[in-house]
Amino acid sequence: MIGKRLKLARQGSGFSLRELEARIGNLVSAQAIGKYERDEMMPNSTTLIAIANALSVSEEYLLGQGELELEGLEFRKKKITSKKEEAHVVATVMSHVERYLEIEDIIHAPSAEWDAPREAPFPIHFPEEAELVAERLRAYWQLGTDPIPNLAEFLETQGIKVLSLDLANNVSGLTCWVKPRNRKRVPVIVVNANHHGERQRFTLMHEFGHMVLSVASDLDEEKIANRVASAFLMPAPILWLEVGRRRSRLTIAELAQLKRLLGVSMQAITYRCRDLTIIDNSTFQALFTEFSRLGWRTPPYEPYPVPQEELHRFERLCFRALSENAISEAKAADLLGLSVRDLTNKLNLIDEK
């Protein structure tokens, strides 16, 4: 039966039942589509193909039997109030995770399982303990103190699925867990595709913090997640080396260079310098007064944006499976959400390079 997948695909496309009826040329009524979604009826082959084309999915996807459940969907900053937008996010997450798990299973990728840090969840009773959590995470992953060029792809190698979706500007990101049948839960982080790279990177680690922290009830979990993200992305040894242990003044030019080095905003660097007592509160306030004067506290925020996080790992796994004849071109196109022609053009373009 196709009900659950059809409803997810329709909601993910943002169509109402009547809009989908129009998209398939009124082959069947909105009432009939509703019955398909409730598994009270099955469409014939012509209608199934038309619906799949309208929703940009394959017939095989609609007929698939994989079962996933979404758990703990959490939006940060402000709640998404639009049911349509939330349905789109849920449908996209479910579809992507299902396809991601399938290709990892096909090539036996070790990242198919979530590699949770062995000490997680980390208990936090005092704000200062966030520093220790960041240090333990870096030690567990053997990262040293160097900046991480592509944070999203690194997290994906640990079994976290990362998506970049169009979200309202006031929503930085979200976390959720997807539970496949007979498998462990899969952690998912979604970042806003419209945000600059520095904001995406901070969101990734902020959301990751929520996954691995156990924060005391008398503390603000959002602030603690921010401190973990800050300490992880800007290890103290790097800042001490680049900035010094104590400063009475920091220039915008200096902060801009640090932004390029660390991949975080100048404002985040300023907060971090205050937390490490590199600058005092009066210097901190002076810098934020200058940020406000320059108009950097509101969209479009700071200049010199960091490149957005790149998410190519899923595509690479599909190309690998195709090269090893583990899947057909038709299957690769289905997994990537492309037509076979578009896939061929993409492969040829890569080959030419």
Side-chain angles (χ1 to χ4, degrees), residues 169-309:
N169 192 59
N170 62 1
V171 180
S172 297
L174 63 95
T175 57
C176 60
W177 297 81
V178 173
K179 181 66 173 71
R181 180 194 290 178
N182 300 324
R183 292 184 60 162
K184 293 180 180 179
R185 296 193 308 166
V186 178
V188 181
I189 300 177
V190 178
V191 295
N192 195 322
N194 302 308
H195 288 173
H196 291 158
E198 62 267 31
R199 192 168 175 187
Q200 290 181 334
R201 287 167 60 82
F202 201 90
T203 296
L204 282 168
M205 283 313 300
H206 175 97
E207 298 296 338
F208 179 81
H210 284 290
M211 290 181 167
V212 297
L213 297 175
S214 176
V215 180
S217 59
D218 60 332
L219 296 178
D220 185 331
E221 186 174 333
E222 293 298 309
K223 290 182 178 179
I224 297 299
N226 277 341
R227 288 199 65 162
V228 170
S230 180
F232 184 88
L233 294 170
M234 297 171 277
I238 291 183
L239 283 176
W240 289 332
L241 177 65
E242 296 292 333
V243 180
R245 294 271 183 165
R246 189 72 180 171
R247 296 284 297 275
S248 59
R249 180 171 178 263
L250 289 174
T251 65
I252 296 296
E254 191 174 4
L255 290 170
Q257 291 297 328
L258 288 169
K259 177 176 182 174
R260 292 189 179 97
L261 173 68
L262 300 169
V264 295
S265 71
M266 287 184 264
Q267 294 172 66
I269 296 167
T270 304
Y271 270 107
R272 181 67 171 144
C273 286
R274 186 189 64 175
D275 289 344
L276 292 173
T277 67
I278 292 172
I279 60 175
D280 61 20
N281 200 54
S282 63
T283 303
F284 173 86
Q285 294 295 340
L287 282 167
F288 268 83
T289 298
E290 182 67 3
F291 296 149
S292 297
R293 186 187 70 80
L294 293 168
W296 295 353
R297 304 297 312 280
T298 56
Y301 300 111
E302 300 175 357
Y304 321 117
V306 172
Q308 292 184 322
E309 289 291 291

Side-chain angles (χ1 to χ4, degrees), residues 106-108 317-328:
I106 288 171
I107 65 171
H108 307 293
L317 294 180
C318 291
F319 289 157
R320 173 182 164 185
L322 182 59
S323 297
E324 295 177 353
N325 296 317
I327 58 174
S328 65

Side-chain angles (χ1 to χ4, degrees), residues 48-114:
L48 180 66
I49 292 170
I51 288 174
N53 289 337
L55 298 177
S56 299
V57 298
S58 68
E59 304 97 85
E60 290 77 12
Y61 168 76
L62 292 176
L63 293 168
Q65 297 302 311
E67 290 187 12
L68 300 177
E69 294 180 6
L70 194 67
E71 301 177 348
L73 184 66
E74 295 287 346
F75 292 94
R76 299 300 165 205
K77 296 296 183 187
K78 296 183 180 179
K79 295 286 185 182
I80 287 182
T81 55
S82 165
K83 290 295 184 184
K84 183 175 181 179
E85 184 175 11
E86 185 169 341
H88 166 70
V89 171
V90 170
T92 306
V93 166
M94 299 286 272
S95 174
H96 179 76
V97 171
E98 182 176 60
R99 289 180 287 119
Y100 211 134
L101 293 176
E102 183 175 0
I103 196 62
E104 286 181 322
D105 283 346
I106 288 171
I107 65 171
H108 307 293
S111 60
E113 294 290 343
W114 155 229

